[in-house]
Amino acid sequence: MADVAREAGVSHQTVSRVLNDHPNVRSETRARVLQAIDKLGYRRNLVARALVTKRSRTLGVVSFDTTLYGPASTVYGIEQAARSAGYFVSIVSLKSIDSGGVRDALDYLADQGVDGVVVVAPQRSAARALADLPLAIPTVAVEGGQAGEVSVVSVDQVAGGRLATEHLLSLGHETVWHVSGPSDWLEAEGRVAGWRAALEQAGREAPQPLAGDWSPRSGYEAGRSLARMTDVTAVFVANDQMALGVLRAFTEQGVSVPGQVSVVGFDDIPESAYFSPPLTTIRQDFDAVGRHSIEVLVRRLEDGLQERERLVVPPAFVRRASTAQPPEGR
């Protein structure tokens, strides 16, 4: 910093003000300091800064199975929001969620000196693990259910399930079948709840759900079963990957979509607009989830907020070509 000050002909306090984006620096002085920084290749010593401020400007993220679109998109949204807020990010990805794994991840991040942690906790076991742990670091959960005293940011999965089902009922379908996600996932549970609520409100019977595991393969197996049923005209699938498998099974069995059966997915993955037919689906705003989770965490860090918060992000309905009125006589 002293070298930069000498090069720019200013005091080291002025260099510090420029580095911290302080408003009380004249534009020409700021430009001269930035030019000196660029010329000398100066980089701040973040370790030294952390020792002085007692803050690392680093946030930890704990996630599970980032090979899935939802968790991966959530982590990306969190990382982008953290960088926009002026924080670095350290990510720990767990193979399995249990209290021991979550505790180890939080201990690891604490040893790194992170200021706070966001835990992506889409499974009931993850929410239980968070609720059972004494948390020494400010923590926010994403899709964490009722995770003890931890603040939670989530998408309204129940509303998403209702949107999908109500759309199919509005087209004239007598009932809606459902291919669900894994039973331990809070998102799957919420989508089932929304599907059931919409059917009950319409006075329709809810068929037995077909269980999947989020993969196209499990959707394909469910689709093969549904294709053998003569009374199926509408299917709500709990994610777009499984919907892809359902569409493949229907095509192989000669079931026309949407001519004979309408299909709605969930997530709005980038590929869903290019399925055959393009998939009607429910969009989750992962950028908003990431932004709100970081905003909640930063309020705890910088404003000293202690109250538990719960923020819910609404889903959006995306109409494409995989849904239509039921065929005559069905």
Side-chain angles (χ1 to χ4, degrees), residues 314-328:
F317 176 72
V318 181
R319 177 75 183 269
R320 294 197 180 102
S322 64
T323 55
Q325 294 180 341
E328 298 252 351

Side-chain angles (χ1 to χ4, degrees), residues 8-19:
V10 299
S11 68
H12 74 273
Q13 291 94 338
T14 299
V15 175
S16 178
R17 292 190 189 99
V18 171
L19 290 170

Side-chain angles (χ1 to χ4, degrees), residues 262-273:
S262 291
V263 177
V264 176
F266 205 109
D267 277 342
D268 193 27
I269 64 174
E271 298 85 358
S272 64

Side-chain angles (χ1 to χ4, degrees), residues 5 76 86 94 108 128 153 189-190 193 220 246 270 273 287 327-328:
Y76 179 77
L94 300 177
Y108 172 79
R128 284 196 300 265
V153 178
E189 183 180 285
Y220 176 78
V246 169
D287 289 341
E328 298 252 351

Side-chain angles (χ1 to χ4, degrees), residues 223-253:
R224 284 171 59 88
S225 298
L226 291 165
R228 291 192 290 267
M229 303 177 189
T230 58
D231 59 341
V232 175
T233 67
V235 183
F236 163 43
V237 189
N239 79 336
D240 291 351
Q241 294 283 357
M242 292 194 298
L244 175 62
V246 169
L247 292 175
R248 169 68 181 272
F250 282 173
T251 298
E252 289 183 355
Q253 299 298 315

